[in-house]
Amino acid sequence: NIPPLNEILTPGVTGLVAERDDPADFARAIITLFRDQDTMRRMGEAGRERVRSEFSTERMVDRTLAFYQDIVASSTAVRA
């Protein structure tokens, strides 16, 4: 469970997760995907779609703007 990856990776849907510092687990994940090309393609497509929908330039600009608007609103409320 790696928090920054949780935004993008859904295990079994957009990719596979291997235990940190466990080369054998990483190798198993790679072998699993090489043996099942359909799953590999499906996960790749799901990952691309997730990035397109969740991390488009427009969406990131909207999120950043909302973040700064919240900060300004909070600082204004504190001063009042």
Side-chain angles (χ1 to χ4, degrees):
N1 185 8
I2 303 170
L5 289 180
N6 293 344
E7 286 186 83
I8 299 171
L9 183 74
T10 303
V13 177
T14 59
L16 297 177
V17 177
E19 288 298 318
R20 176 182 259 171
D21 298 325
D22 187 345
D25 195 39
F26 183 68
R28 277 190 292 278
I30 292 172
I31 291 167
T32 296
L33 292 176
F34 278 133
R35 287 184 176 162
D36 188 347
Q37 298 285 307
D38 290 336
T39 297
M40 183 171 67
R41 278 188 207 88
R42 181 177 43 78
M43 287 183 181
E45 289 168 8
R48 278 189 293 280
E49 182 53 37
R50 180 159 177 85
V51 168
R52 269 191 217 110
S53 68
E54 296 295 320
F55 301 98
S56 67
T57 301
E58 181 178 316
R59 182 118 187 209
M60 296 308 293
V61 166
D62 290 344
R63 287 178 178 173
T64 303
L65 179 60
F67 174 76
Y68 284 112
Q69 287 171 334
D70 287 346
I71 290 172
V72 169
S74 295
S75 68
T76 303
V78 170
R79 286 188 223 162

